[in-house]
Amino acid sequence: MEKFKYAIENKRYHTWNYYLRQKYNTKVFKVSINAGFTCPNIDGSISRGGCTYCSKEGSGDFAGNPKDDLVTQFQAMRLMMEKKWPKAKYIGYFQAFTNTYAPLEVLRDKYEVILEQDNVVGLSISTRPDCIEDDVLEYLDDLNKRTDLWVELGLQTIHDDISKRINRGHDYAIFLECVNRLRSKNINVVVHIIDGLPGEDHDMMLETAKAISKLDIQGVKIHLLHVIKDTVMARQYDKGQFDLMTKEDYVKIVCDQLEILPQEMVIHRLTGDGKKEDLVGPMWSLKKWEVLNAIDDELKRRDSWQGKYFNRKRGDRYDDENTHNPIKVFNRQYR
């Protein structure tokens, strides 16, 4: 595996842990916070009900308790982590709902109070690509000069017909425009994608990864679609309108996606999870470490790694020759 230069703990992809260790030379935790925001896809500005997969916590199922103030939420997690890693540093993670969907003065108050906490080295702000106003962008530019800032954009898929099906409320063009605006300020961008969305096949999921590989983004989160109780998607699943991915198929698509993503792109996540009591399926996703270990094993079996088929010299992110094109390799070997 001499061609892969970001190896840590025998991983064959550029882990978030590797990035943090290299930058800070100590343990760094993301502290998930629920800042009490909502979403324009919920409150009626764009739509009501949100994305069809979105839980009542706004995809912040493991964030803090919104009944507590932000400092209380942060300190509860910090005290727990400090017992094992007393010299750890922290990144405040604004996770639940849309965390730039508020007036600038509200955002400033919430972000700054976390930056004031001891040993906080950065912020990670999860939002939608249609929810960063010009004044907010200028403030993010200022934050980026003062702290380790990551803006996480929900994309999920490049396919607009699938986006409509899951009620995303924006198209791919809006996402691309937002990426360009953020990168014009040199702000690190993390893109969220979901594998297993209703209506998508393997090649469509791989096309999303191919498109991302061509963009000026610094990180990606690959999520497994998991169906949560009391969502539109749960009702659709109960009616038999789509099937859930098997563990084997998920491992294959993730490895194929990793092979065409550039090595320098940080992999912030390789699967999704939900609360056991709320999860409709797939139930195998609850064994998160088994999934991650299976991805490691598959990459090793292939003698492969992140970026193996990424080829910058050809002006693309992977080699188009039949022997190296991961789309064709998958069709030939795994179907």
Side-chain angles (χ1 to χ4, degrees):
M1 209 171 61
E2 295 179 358
K3 296 182 179 179
F4 184 64
K5 58 185 179 181
Y6 298 102
I8 186 175
E9 300 169 346
N10 298 317
K11 296 293 184 182
R12 292 170 177 251
Y13 54 91
H14 189 167
T15 67
W16 176 233
N17 185 43
Y18 179 94
Y19 166 83
L20 294 172
R21 286 284 186 179
Q22 291 296 308
K23 184 162 187 174
Y24 296 105
N25 197 33
T26 189
K27 188 70 175 177
V28 181
F29 291 99
K30 288 178 76 172
V31 178
S32 296
I33 296 165
N34 188 329
F37 293 110
T38 183
C39 174
N41 209 25
I42 292 175
D43 70 6
S45 296
I46 294 174
S47 180
R48 293 195 181 276
C51 302
T52 58
Y53 55 80
C54 194
S55 69
K56 59 182 180 294
E57 282 84 12
S59 298
D61 301 81
F62 299 102
N65 187 339
K67 295 180 181 180
D68 294 331
D69 63 72
L70 298 187
V71 174
T72 299
Q73 291 184 43
F74 178 86
Q75 293 299 336
M77 178 63 75
R78 184 191 66 80
L79 290 172
M80 183 171 61
M81 295 298 100
E82 196 175 59
K83 293 177 182 178
K84 189 171 183 180
W85 288 279
K87 296 182 180 180
K89 297 184 184 298
Y90 304 94
I91 291 175
Y93 179 24
F94 287 81
Q95 180 181 16
F97 296 97
T98 303
N99 292 275
T100 58
Y101 185 52
L104 177 58
E105 58 270 21
V106 174
L107 300 178
R108 183 183 287 113
D109 288 345
K110 293 180 183 292
Y111 299 162
E112 297 292 343
V113 74
I114 296 301
L115 285 176
E116 291 169 359
Q117 304 307 304
D118 290 343
N119 294 321
V120 169
V121 295
L123 295 178
S124 192
I125 300 170
S126 182
T127 189
R128 291 170 56 91
D130 52 0
C131 285
I132 300 180
E133 300 294 339
D134 289 344
D135 59 344
V136 173
L137 180 62
E138 292 305 316
Y139 173 55
L140 293 175
D141 182 30
D142 173 62
L143 280 177
N144 192 47
K145 295 169 182 174
R146 295 189 279 126
T147 194
D148 192 353
L149 178 67
W150 294 78
V151 174
E152 303 194 17
L153 295 180
L155 170 62
Q156 320 318 351
T157 177
I158 65 167
H159 304 287
D160 286 343
D161 57 333
I162 302 299
S163 292
K164 290 180 181 179
R165 181 169 177 173
I166 62 175
N167 197 40
R168 266 308 286 175
H170 68 79
D171 60 18
Y172 185 46
I174 288 175
F175 166 81
L176 292 175
E177 180 184 3
C178 185
V179 170
N180 290 336
R181 291 172 68 228
L182 289 166
R183 291 304 297 147
S184 73
K185 305 295 186 181
N186 202 35
I187 295 170
N188 288 329
V189 175
V190 182
V191 177
H192 291 230
I193 63 174
I194 298 178
D195 288 333
L197 290 170
E200 287 206 338
D201 60 20
H202 186 99
D203 287 355
M204 293 173 74
M205 297 178 227
L206 207 54
E207 286 166 4
T208 291
K210 175 186 174 183
I212 286 174
S213 77
K214 297 178 180 180
L215 300 179
D216 179 19
I217 63 173
Q218 291 62 55
V220 63
K221 283 188 175 181
I222 301 176
H223 297 268
L224 164 70
L225 175 69
H226 53 281
V227 177
I228 302 298
K229 293 177 182 177
D230 301 322
T231 61
V232 173
M233 192 166 283
R235 293 192 287 274
Q236 294 172 341
Y237 179 68
D238 288 342
K239 294 177 182 178
Q241 295 179 7
F242 67 96
D243 295 321
L244 297 175
M245 293 192 81
T246 66
K247 177 181 172 182
E248 292 72 24
D249 284 343
Y250 185 70
V251 168
K252 289 173 184 175
I253 181 60
V254 168
C255 291
D256 288 348
Q257 289 170 327
L258 287 173
E259 287 176 336
I260 60 173
L261 295 176
Q263 290 192 15
E264 63 268 22
M265 190 177 290
V266 181
I267 309 300
H268 289 241
R269 178 182 285 270
L270 277 186
T271 185
D273 46 14
K275 292 181 179 179
K276 182 177 181 180
E277 61 270 23
D278 294 331
L279 185 65
V280 174
M283 301 311 293
W284 56 262
S285 67
L286 292 171
K287 298 180 180 179
K288 184 176 179 179
W289 287 108
E290 289 187 9
V291 179
L292 294 175
N293 288 339
I295 292 169
D296 291 342
D297 291 343
E298 176 63 11
L299 288 172
K300 185 176 180 180
R301 186 194 70 80
R302 298 183 186 190
D303 188 26
S304 193
W305 52 87
Q306 179 183 342
K308 184 174 184 179
Y309 299 118
F310 170 85
N311 194 324
R312 185 175 283 106
K313 292 181 180 179
R314 292 177 61 101
D316 205 339
R317 299 294 181 160
Y318 62 92
D319 195 324
D320 281 328
E321 297 298 330
N322 289 349
T323 54
H324 296 292
N325 185 334
I327 295 176
K328 295 175 182 177
V329 168
F330 175 84
N331 289 340
R332 185 170 63 248
Q333 294 183 351
Y334 297 114
R335 279 192 170 174

